[in-house]
Amino acid sequence: MSKQDDSTLILEDDTYFPTSRQRGYFVTFFLQMKTMLARNYTLLKRSYLSTLAQSVFGPIAFILILYVLQKAVDSKNNTAVYHPDKYTLGYVDSCQGLDRADPCINIMYYPSSSDTDSIMRLFSQQNTQRAGFDNNNPLSIQYGGKFDLDVKTKISRKYGIVSVPSEDFIYNYSLNHPNTTTFGINFDVDRTNDVYKYQIWFNTTVQRNGTIPYNTRVLSLMRGIDEAIIGHSGNSVAKIDVDLKDWPSLPVGGSSESIIGTVGPMFFFSAQMIIFISFIITLVSEKEKRLRESMQLAGLKAEVYWLSWFLSYSVLCIICSLTIIAMGNILALSSFRNTNFVAMFLTLFIFNISMLGFGCMIVSIIGTSASAVLVSIYVFVIGLVIMGSLFTNPSFTYIWWGGSVSTTIRSVLSLLPFFNFGVLFVTISNMSAGTINSVTSVYIPGPGFKFADLNRAIPKNLIQSLDVGGDVPAVPFPGSFLVQMLINLLIFIILTFYFDNVVPNQFGVSQHLLFFIDPRYYLSFFESKKASSVEIENWINSLKTADQPLVGEDSDVTAERSAVRDPNIPYVLRIADLNKVFKKLNPFAKKFTAIQSTCLGIREGEILALLGQNGAGKSTTMNILSGVMPKSRGDALFYGTTLKNQRAIRSMLGICPQHDILFNELNAQEHVRLYGGLKGLSKLEIDNLIDKGLYAVRLHNVKNLQTRSYSGGMKRRLSVLIATIGSPRIAFFDEPTTGMDPVNRRHVWRYLENFKKGRVIILTSHSMEEADILSDRVAVMAHGKVVALGSSIRLKSRFGFGYKFSMIAKDKKSTVIVKDTIARKFPQGMLQDDSAGALIYHFSDQNTDVICDFVDWLEANQMDTSSDNDLKQSIPMPEPYLNQSGYDSQTHIKMPEPNYYDSEKDYATSTRLISTWGMSQTSLEEVFLKLIRENQQ
Ligand SMILES: Nc1ncnc2c1ncn2[C@@H]1O[C@H](COP(=O)(O)OP(=O)(O)OP(=O)(O)O)[C@@H](O)[C@H]1O
């Protein structure tokens, strides 16, 4: 093939048609998966903005909103924050008088001078009781430098008064070990002027029985220190300045993490919903645009389709989960910082993929993008309402297991991934960031969430301190909610498989409701391609109704009825008694028969053209044969395979549908890669096909352009090429050249002409020229019935209405002679025009031999325009075909008398009669129009 300018492109005959190979299930599965993942990657890459919006920008936006919301709440409650946020000190189950067994420190102080030490020593000697010491807890003062703990090390015993290395140490130590210190004291001593300033920090975050237990103790502590100062200074009027500060407290009504712990689940649910909605809309629109069907017709396994999208979107879910975790850490949210990374990742990721499973189930039920949008919105709103009502109160999360809520309600809710996610996320958040008791508004710090905590009971004191009421409920381990989400996913996968089979597609094809208990369903996976000879015989016998002709049916159509059931006729595609009845949407309307008892057979290497007006039933016939639409009656046999064995049929089928089914975002070569991959072609074959196939249909110059920018004709040509990928033995082309210019149309004709060798092609067209040129046989359909069948020539001769003859005679006398001659030769001839020397005749149903003789006579009597010699001798009409009785010996048609030009002999022999002439046969179009007229209902 030589590359030339498009307008002079010449195709060679050996166009490249690599054949698809049959492989085992798993090899095919793997190869198709690879192809589909590559396609999904390209599609997601092409719409990168939407992809990034789902996986990165969306989560960032949501977590930022959450953060801003938190800041707004914090600033509103700012007056209650006595210390910087970073001192997230917890409640102090104090050493003082509370009989704590745990190690703790009663008072920490920073010895800013030797005076300070001296004051505290005096205090400790004078105030054993006031400081809360008892006999079991001996007085203990550790001085700066001797206190051998760093801020990160937890103490191992109980201390009374501890001097620490710096002021910050008090904050930092408390920050790291929030439950260990009761009081902190800071001194600022001016010994020269006898000015003693000190500040007592005391913890107000623990309330018991509605009171803060340390208020009175602060007063006693103050008094004790005042006395110690006076004792130390020896000056009873020493100036003492005391400042009280409650222990780092929390905003009223919540901690700095409260928003994330309560509305966090709703926000992360919302962030994930962007992926969910996009997933549903993408898959449903592929279904709606019949892209999925087109790939399945090319052999794509349904399980590969689902899994490939699931895996592709799972990658987005991974990115989304990582983005949320990264943002949580960047914004220093302790729900994330104090949580084990893997535990948090699994929580978000498993929730995301279980929602994808939920999405698959929805996609298997609904069929239009509009419904997809509506359903997604409903799921979103319902999810938000459920999460908003359950999880904004952290205690409520656990009350569910306290017996007040029935197991049934809990079981139903646990079927929803967002419920399981909500419980798990709130638990993690409570344990890592702490939470607020909704009754007392007291902040309860959490111990952090380690990976092992997934498999441990939630600490009882955490649940109890949330005031769940009654006994501490036996809440399942956090990890069990992860398992529950995986179970959700499994249930959704099973339901997707079920609904995908039983919910009818747009043509009403579906399995019966209990298909999964029918062994035939599973056997169909392994069914042999060819029916045995006995089965074929049964098939033939079972279609006896095919023999019954319709009222007024043409004899050729009737003859075809028995031909399709005659095993001696080498038809490789037999369509017998095919019927299609559509139920009307309106229940009161009558049923509509779109195809009525169609019988057609096609030999290998033949093209059958189906012609008919709009709505005649051509596409319906093709749709039934390709298995996308169920038949009402009848059957078809494809190379020995009946219609019910769709898997086998699809492996030998190529389809160019009436409306182009192309991916807007993919270019021509990506389409070839996709369909070549699905058909099992090797990489080399696909590469060659990209070169040669695209060249053959003249798309090589635009092979890298996305098809959204293609013209109608370009899309059509790509559809034609796709139908031939994998070299299918049977191919259907539904109006393949619609919208093409005459040059490209001829290229496609040539392409199909090359393709038909060794194959069977059914073609529908509204171009009679196309049907005439391409088809070996033509079936004209009207109102669902085949009304005429045969080669184009046969149809013309059977249904044609003769020839049209026009001429201009040399002069008036010549006109008379010619008219006289025609009158004798064609007594049925109709003179349609006779003006200015021009004659137009219509000869109906003429024997072709008589016409040939007449043509010879016309040629012999035509003036030679190449020279001025117009007086050549006229040649008389021959009489070879007439026998003695005046009937043609071959056709037995009565012929006119042979002496029809004797009277003008002298004139005719002296000059030629005709200036110019033309003769045309009835066209296929005229035959078609005639048949349609005759079959008007
Ligand atoms: N899903 C359907 N439900 C109901 N009626 C249908 C359905 N599909 C097709 N029909 C009807 O069946 C008849 C045949 O339609 P079909 O699409 O086969 O015609 P066609 O010959 O291919 O026409 P065209 O040349 O316009 O493509 C039409 O009257 C059409 O309205």
Side-chain angles (χ1 to χ4, degrees), residues 254-270:
S255 76
S256 62
E257 300 294 337
S258 63
I259 292 288
I260 291 164
T262 52
V263 299
M266 290 168 70
F267 270 74
F268 298 128
F269 166 74
S270 307

Side-chain angles (χ1 to χ4, degrees), residues 506-507 582-584 592-595 612-621 623 629 658-659 734-735 764 766 781:
Q506 62 193 109
F507 296 114
F582 285 113
K583 290 177 195 137
K584 288 286 178 190
F592 171 70
T593 304
I595 301 180
Q613 276 183 291
N614 295 136
K618 306 179 296 291
S619 302
T620 306
T621 307
N623 285 335
M629 193 182 265
Q658 188 172 34
H659 303 290
D734 203 346
E735 300 175 29
T764 74
H766 289 298
M781 292 185 77

Side-chain angles (χ1 to χ4, degrees), residues 37-94:
L37 288 177
R39 172 201 82 127
N40 296 353
Y41 171 73
T42 312
L43 288 177
L44 291 172
K45 191 176 72 179
R46 292 277 148 77
S47 38
Y48 64 94
L49 276 180
S50 138
T51 306
L52 283 176
Q54 297 164 44
S55 53
V56 181
F57 302 146
I60 290 180
F62 274 104
I63 208 161
L64 280 178
I65 294 171
L66 195 59
Y67 184 74
V68 169
L69 204 62
Q70 180 65 65
K71 288 288 147 195
V73 172
D74 284 354
S75 72
K76 185 171 163 247
N77 298 319
N78 230 5
T79 49
V81 183
Y82 294 96
H83 295 276
D85 284 349
K86 67 175 180 171
Y87 304 119
T88 52
L89 297 174
Y91 74 97
V92 175
D93 202 359
S94 165

